[in-house]
Amino acid sequence: DVKVTQSSRYLVKRTGEKVFLECVQDMDHENMFWYRQDPGLGLRLIYFSYDVKMKEKGDIPEGYSVSREKKERFSLILESASTNQTSMYLCASSFGGGFYPYGYTFGSGTRLTVV
Amino acid sequence: KNEVEQSPQNLTAQEGEFITINCSYSVGISALHWLQQHPGGGIVSLFMLSSGKKKHGRLIATINIQEKHSSLHITASHPRDSAVYICAVISGSARQLTFGSGTQLTVLP
């Protein structure tokens, strides 16, 4: 069964801490994405990557960075966590590009609370 | 204006009812996804459509490209169908999804 695995389901961190959210996929997908989901705002794209060592900003990249050193792993980094980054974070991956991307697979989410 | 609009936002049904959730979009698309999110957060892709109709068990998804509209139908609904259903589109050469705001479905026994 193909999978996108996020390292933690629940995480509590203190304001100012550096936080790493890890995402691993086993489908040899080219594309990987980090979203956050907030009540009333839906899913919003933070960063995405189409290839190893490649990254592009999404709609809300401020306060975040990413790393993709290997094809299967895409990390989201909160350089200095703040309470407004308390949210559900979802990782996804997909195969293909151009006009025919398909096979979106989502992870089970990480609910991050910053106190 | 949101590029992807879903209706209704909330839907409560009795077990056994036929359910329809609608999605309209304002951009040209290459594909549309219907996603399901259960409490606890994980999202499952139910369908990807670029034309016509797809069926999987009690779920049916249709898309009308000319009218920029898609529907998700659930036949013989069951309490375990209770979830948030999200429509998402891929437009042009972009690879990322643009999401609707979701429909919270509650099916009562």
Side-chain angles (χ1 to χ4, degrees):
Chain A
D1 198 16
V2 294
K3 273 188 189 170
V4 174
T5 303
Q6 293 183 231
S7 51
S8 305
R9 286 301 303 272
Y10 300 95
L11 212 51
V12 180
K13 295 292 181 180
R14 293 196 179 279
T15 301
E17 278 192 72
K18 190 168 185 175
V19 181
F20 293 86
L21 302 183
E22 305 287 347
C23 176
V24 177
Q25 50 95 2
D26 63 0
M27 297 162 283
D28 201 35
H29 279 176
E30 301 162 353
N31 311 316
M32 296 188 75
F33 308 86
W34 274 107
Y35 298 93
R36 65 177 280 178
Q37 186 179 31
D38 301 287
L41 297 175
L43 281 141
R44 293 179 291 167
L45 180 65
I46 305 171
Y47 267 97
F48 59 100
S49 169
Y50 293 159
D51 202 351
V52 175
K53 296 193 186 294
M54 180 269 178
K55 59 187 177 185
E56 289 198 30
K57 294 179 180 179
D59 300 320
I60 50 163
E62 296 78 19
Y64 303 94
S65 62
V66 289
S67 171
R68 193 164 181 202
E69 295 296 317
K70 294 185 178 181
K71 190 175 186 180
E72 67 270 19
R73 185 181 295 269
F74 192 36
S75 303
L76 180 70
I77 303 156
L78 286 65
E79 296 290 343
S80 177
S82 64
T83 54
N84 64 12
Q85 292 178 309
T86 291
S87 186
M88 168 70 86
Y89 290 87
L90 284 147
C91 176
S93 71
S94 72
F95 175 73
F99 292 93
Y100 299 100
Y102 60 94
Y104 264 84
T105 304
F106 285 84
S108 53
T110 296
R111 191 167 292 280
L112 172 68
T113 302
V114 182
V115 298
Chain B
K1 185 183 186 297
N2 215 357
E3 289 181 342
V4 182
E5 298 276 355
Q6 273 185 249
S7 62
Q9 283 193 311
N10 293 283
L11 181 56
T12 300
Q14 290 296 134
E15 184 172 356
E17 283 187 20
F18 180 85
I19 287 162
T20 296
I21 300 170
N22 294 300
C23 175
S24 296
Y25 51 91
S26 57
V27 296
I29 68 167
S30 54
L32 180 145
H33 286 258
W34 280 103
L35 310 169
Q36 181 192 56
Q37 185 175 32
H38 279 284
I43 291 178
V44 174
S45 179
L46 298 172
F47 294 104
M48 193 195 73
L49 295 163
S50 54
S51 64
K53 177 179 172 178
K54 286 190 176 180
K55 185 175 189 291
H56 182 70
R58 296 180 294 106
L59 301 176
I60 303 166
T62 63
I63 189 168
N64 185 318
I65 296 293
Q66 287 74 27
E67 295 186 4
K68 293 187 166 61
H69 181 267
S70 176
S71 293
L72 177 69
H73 305 286
I74 305 175
T75 62
S77 59
H78 190 276
R80 64 174 175 266
D81 297 326
S82 298
V84 175
Y85 292 85
I86 303 169
C87 169
V89 301
I90 302 165
S91 55
S93 60
R95 305 187 195 193
Q96 61 267 35
L97 296 169
T98 301
F99 297 90
S101 55
T103 296
Q104 173 69 63
L105 171 65
T106 304
V107 181
L108 302 174

